[in-house]
Structure formats: structure tokens, C-alpha cells
Amino acid sequence: GGAAFDNLLSATAIEANASGVYIGANANVPSILERKSFVVSSVSETAQTAYGFFIASGATAPSINNSGSITAQLFGEIGNATAIVDNSNTLASITNSGTLIAQITQTDSDPNDSIPPPAITGTATAIDVSASSINVTLNQNATSPFTDDDAVDNDAAIVPAVTIIGDIRFGSGNDIFNLNAGTATGALSFGAGTDAFNIAGGAVYTGRLSDSDGQLTVNVGTGTANLTGGAANITSANFGSGAVVT
């Protein structure tokens, strides 16, 4: 059982929070599959948030698998955009082989007055499981090719890019991020717990890496880690012959 999303979906709110899928208290959704395009937008000059998937306290939703495209976007400056948030402490497995984006776009009420819009102060978060104390595993994998009898991937031109854009926030469990393909761009924050960040398959991470308790192991096999600052607080790091770290 679970929920599968196989059509184009969109939700928009004006001067209010926007939620694409809200999983409330007492709901039990064993698996969530996103296989098409899902866009959630909030247009607001106040502190509102665009949520893609919101899992509330008291819900049960242990797994999300995205092979399509999930976008949470705020048009404004002081609000937030969050593609996946879990407040239930049950989301243990997140798999992405598609596109997962959280973004904030400045708006200008009068583009002709030569006055720039205010600076962005909100946050764009792709995955927020910071309230979790369970162990959470995030896997980003290559897209599985679809071939028929001619051995040609007929979906290659329409398959979304394998990427995460936006911050990733883990909680206090023993969390793992396996970046096996594509790119991930944004701040990556590990909480307490014995955590691991693994890069392989030529994948590329760009952003600010941090860990709250210094129990983080980083393994870069064949891939790239472009660290843009911060106190990484790494316990140990292992680099293969195909590793690039900047």
C-alpha cells in the first residue's frame, strides 16, 4: 500500500502557505512514489512557506521515492521553500533518482523604479528531517534506463536530471547520505549520531558541510566534493583514486 503520483500536479497559494501533499496525524502511508512532475508555489511578501510533501507529527510515512520532479518554490524574500519535511519521526528512507528542488525567487513590485528588491532572508530546503531521532538513509541513484527490444533508452530525452538543489538537514539518528549519481547543491547538515556521507559514481556535491557532534565519516570514491565553507567537524575521511575535493 501507499500513494503513487503519476500525473502532473501543481498547487499555488497567494500570501499563504502552500502544501502539495499533507500527510496528517494518524495517516499511515507505507510508501510514497513520485513519478511525474510536482510543483508547489507560494507567492508572498510575508513569511509563508511552500511545502512539497509535509509529513505531520503523528503520521506514519517511512519511505519516499522520487523518480520524477519535485519543486517547492517561494516567490518573495522572507518566506521559505521546503520540498520534503518530516515531523513524524518515521521517514527512514528517501530515494531520489530524479529532480528535487527548493528555491526562492525575489520579486519586485515595480521593476521600473530602479530600486532592487529586498535581499532574500528565507531558506530553501530540499529535505528537512531535522526533527527525527531515527536513522535516516538518503540515496541518490542514477536513473534506471528503459529499453525495449531495440536496446535503446526511449525515455532518455524526457527523464529529469538526477539532482538535489536546496539544503539537506538531518536529525539526531545515525544518518547516511549515499550520493551515487548526479549532483547535490546546498548546505548539508548532520545532527547528533554516527553519520556518513558517501560520494561515488562520479557524483558531485557542492555546498557547506557541517556536523553537530563531530561523528561524521566522509568517503569520496569516484566523485567530487566542492566544500564552500563552514566547520565540517569530520571524524574521518577516505578518498579514492578518483576523488576530487576542493
Side-chain angles (χ1 to χ4, degrees), residues 60-118:
T60 300
S63 171
I64 291 180
N65 189 318
N66 174 51
S67 58
S69 177
I70 301 172
T71 301
Q73 54 190 7
L74 174 89
F75 294 93
E77 292 80 37
I78 64 175
N80 306 302
T82 304
I84 297 172
V85 60
D86 176 42
N87 290 330
S88 71
N89 200 30
T90 65
L91 182 59
S93 174
I94 304 169
T95 301
N96 181 56
S97 58
T99 296
L100 182 59
I101 297 175
Q103 61 188 12
I104 299 175
T105 301
Q106 289 174 305
T107 56
D108 192 341
S109 58
D110 186 356
N112 298 316
D113 63 4
S114 299
I115 300 174

Side-chain angles (χ1 to χ4, degrees), residues 6-35:
D6 290 326
N7 289 299
L8 304 179
L9 301 173
S10 65
T12 302
I14 307 298
E15 296 299 338
N17 291 333
S19 294
V21 174
Y22 183 93
I23 301 173
N26 301 315
N28 186 354
V29 186
S31 67
I32 298 170
L33 303 177
E34 171 56 51
R35 296 184 288 212

Side-chain angles (χ1 to χ4, degrees), residues 36-161:
K36 274 293 188 178
S37 177
F38 186 25
V39 179
V40 180
S41 306
S42 177
V43 181
S44 180
E45 293 303 316
T46 58
Q48 309 296 334
T49 300
Y51 296 104
F53 287 88
F54 188 104
I55 306 171
S57 176
T60 300
S63 171
I64 291 180
N65 189 318
N66 174 51
S67 58
S69 177
I70 301 172
T71 301
Q73 54 190 7
L74 174 89
F75 294 93
E77 292 80 37
I78 64 175
N80 306 302
T82 304
I84 297 172
V85 60
D86 176 42
N87 290 330
S88 71
N89 200 30
T90 65
L91 182 59
S93 174
I94 304 169
T95 301
N96 181 56
S97 58
T99 296
L100 182 59
I101 297 175
Q103 61 188 12
I104 299 175
T105 301
Q106 289 174 305
T107 56
D108 192 341
S109 58
D110 186 356
N112 298 316
D113 63 4
S114 299
I115 300 174
I120 293 173
T121 58
T123 57
T125 305
I127 298 170
D128 186 356
V129 290
S130 60
S132 294
S133 59
I134 64 169
N135 303 337
V136 177
T137 298
L138 168 60
N139 293 310
Q140 179 160 292
N141 300 324
T143 301
S144 298
F146 175 79
T147 58
D148 51 22
D149 55 3
D150 63 5
V152 175
D153 185 358
N154 298 309
D155 288 343
I158 60 173
V159 170

